[in-house]
């Protein structure tokens, strides 16, 4: 009899535990965690529903505001996304302020609005400089330079890429490999700017400088940047077969690489292949500059 009772108690406890596991969570932080997972799987509507539940329970939850803005950006609802990012900036602890400001800047990049992005990346840059995070400030300057470049403002692109390069050189303990890295980034930027201006000679000169720095072997992890650069330059110099050949050697998980490939195929008249790459772009759910430059165009091209 005692054994039967023990088994019954065990079964009952297991049933209670199973039922509890099936109950929807009401913990806002757990809701945010689940929403992030759903967003990473491309389930934006389901993610939004959980973020709304989290905000219903905790309206001032920083992580929920950031997450909500990210999902709305991916859906193309930029104005509403910025409302949440603005609130996140107000709520951010000091350690999260740059994250919120950067998220807002990326939101503007989805619309190639360099002026809007600049207002927020400039704040990040100033905060990093004032705290002597010169490496971070240099990367932020480069990010702003890239937004200007992809928005068609080549003068400001050059200005901010140069600011990034010069800021990096102010680091007191810059190692030889880091010096090579920043020299490469500066040449990489100059090559892309020259290509966008149609200056083939300057673009090729800077590509050669990048290759020479990569051949030193001090930054082996940056080798993948060469086919991206070569493909980007070829695309804007209207050498589409070369662009396709080079970009296919680049990182095929990067939505920006995929959108460049889509454009190159489009220029050759291969609409089927172009659409294939535009569709692949939409599989990325990252809130990044690479996706900001790629996703809106891919959505437009696949909607027709």
């Amino acid at each position: 009899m005692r054994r039967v009772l023990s088994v019954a108690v065990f079964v009952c406890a297991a049933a209670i535990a199973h039922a509890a596991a099936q109950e929807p969570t009401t913990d806002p932080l757990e809701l945010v965690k689940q929403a992030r997972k759903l967003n990473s799987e491309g389930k934006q509507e389901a993610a939004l529903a959980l973020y709304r539940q989290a905000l219903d329970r905790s309206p001032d939850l920083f992580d929920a505001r950031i997450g909500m803005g990210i999902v709305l950006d991916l859906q193309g609802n930029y104005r509403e996304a910025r409302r949440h990012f603005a609130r996140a900036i107000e709520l951010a602890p000091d350690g999260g302020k740059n994250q919120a400001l950067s998220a807002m800047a990326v939101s503007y990049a989805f619309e190639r609005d360099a002026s809007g992005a600049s207002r927020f990346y400039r704040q990040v840059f100033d905060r990093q400089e004032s705290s002597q995070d010169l490496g971070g400030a240099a990367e932020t300057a480069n990010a702003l330079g890239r937004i200007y470049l992809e928005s068609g403002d080549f003068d400001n692109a050059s200005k901010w890429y140069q600011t990034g390069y010069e800021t990096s050189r102010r680091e007191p303990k810059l190692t030889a490999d880091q010096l090579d890295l920043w020299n490469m980034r500066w040449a990489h930027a100059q090559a892309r700017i020259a290509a966008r201006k149609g200056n083939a000679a300057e673009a090729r000169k800077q590509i050669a400088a990048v290759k020479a720095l990569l051949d030193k072997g001090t930054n082996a992890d940056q080798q993948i940047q060469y086919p991206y650069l070569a493909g980007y330059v070829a695309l804007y110099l209207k050498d589409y077969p070369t662009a396709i050949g080079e970009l296919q050697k680049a990182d095929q998980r990067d939505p920006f690489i995929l959108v460049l490939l889509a454009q190159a195929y489009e220029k050759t008249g291969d609409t089927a292949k172009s659409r294939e790459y535009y569709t692949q772009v939409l599989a990325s759910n990252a809130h990044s500059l690479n996706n900001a430059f790629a996703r809106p165009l891919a959505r437009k091209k696949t909607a027709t």
Side-chain angles (χ1 to χ4, degrees):
M1 183 69 172
R2 186 173 298 165
R3 177 179 175 79
V4 171
L5 283 173
S6 297
V7 170
V9 168
F10 175 79
V11 170
C12 183
I16 291 170
H18 178 73
Q22 299 304 307
E23 274 189 31
T25 182
T26 58
D27 177 7
L29 287 174
E30 182 60 29
L31 288 168
V32 167
K33 180 180 176 182
Q34 292 177 14
R36 284 174 178 159
K37 182 175 184 296
L38 288 169
N39 181 60
S40 72
E41 295 169 351
K43 301 172 183 175
Q44 271 81 44
E45 283 299 330
L48 279 182
L50 291 186
Y51 279 128
R52 289 191 183 105
Q53 289 179 42
L55 288 172
D56 284 344
R57 290 165 174 76
S58 183
D60 292 340
L61 185 59
F62 171 76
D63 288 342
R65 291 288 178 180
I66 286 280
M68 192 81 164
I70 286 171
V71 175
L72 289 165
D73 265 347
L74 292 172
Q75 289 188 323
N77 193 347
Y78 308 122
R79 181 175 296 182
E80 183 66 9
R82 287 170 204 152
R83 184 175 73 82
H84 289 281
F85 288 138
R87 185 64 180 136
I89 291 168
E90 293 172 356
L91 294 169
D94 192 60
K97 184 74 77 174
N98 287 352
Q99 177 192 359
L101 290 166
S102 295
M104 181 73 94
V106 171
S107 182
Y108 280 100
F110 272 89
E111 294 190 285
R112 308 287 177 109
D113 183 347
S115 177
S118 177
R119 293 200 304 273
F120 296 93
Y121 265 147
R122 288 286 297 267
Q123 292 180 62
V124 177
F125 178 81
D126 291 343
R127 285 169 57 85
Q128 289 168 325
E129 265 208 320
S130 66
S131 66
Q132 291 301 296
D133 178 10
L134 297 178
E139 290 181 3
T140 298
N142 272 19
L144 184 50
R146 191 173 176 204
I147 292 175
Y148 276 117
L149 175 60
E150 298 307 326
S151 303
D153 185 341
F154 306 139
D155 289 341
N156 271 315
S158 183
K159 170 190 168 183
W160 278 98
Y161 272 122
Q162 185 168 2
T163 297
Y165 175 66
E166 291 174 352
T167 301
S168 75
R169 299 295 294 269
R170 287 164 45 206
E171 286 202 76
K173 296 181 180 178
L174 200 65
T175 61
D177 62 312
Q178 290 172 328
L179 180 60
D180 285 344
L181 177 62
W182 280 102
N183 283 335
M184 187 199 72
R185 286 174 173 170
W186 177 220
H188 200 291
Q190 290 179 87
R192 283 178 284 127
I193 293 169
R196 295 296 297 272
K197 290 180 173 180
N199 188 341
E202 179 64 18
R204 289 172 183 136
K205 172 186 169 184
Q206 296 299 336
I207 285 178
V210 169
K211 188 171 189 311
L213 287 161
L214 287 171
D215 286 347
K216 291 175 70 174
T218 51
N219 288 278
D221 61 325
Q222 296 297 310
Q223 292 289 342
I224 196 69
Q225 296 298 323
Y226 184 80
Y228 153 48
L229 175 61
Y232 185 103
V233 167
L235 174 65
Y236 282 102
L237 293 180
K238 302 181 181 180
D239 181 357
Y240 305 122
T242 297
I244 290 167
E246 293 293 344
L247 290 167
Q248 285 177 334
K249 302 172 194 171
D251 186 355
Q252 300 301 292
R253 297 166 300 177
D254 183 335
F256 189 61
I257 299 298
L258 297 175
V259 87
L260 292 175
L261 271 164
Q263 291 173 87
Y265 274 112
E266 194 171 26
K267 293 293 186 180
T268 67
D270 190 340
T271 55
K273 201 70 176 174
S274 176
R275 188 177 183 84
E276 177 187 325
Y277 278 103
Y278 280 129
T279 301
Q280 287 182 45
V281 168
L282 296 177
S284 175
N285 300 294
H287 196 255
S288 64
L289 288 184
N290 285 15
N291 211 17
F293 299 141
R295 190 177 179 92
L297 179 59
R299 185 187 290 114
K300 178 181 176 182
K301 294 289 186 178
T302 54
T304 56

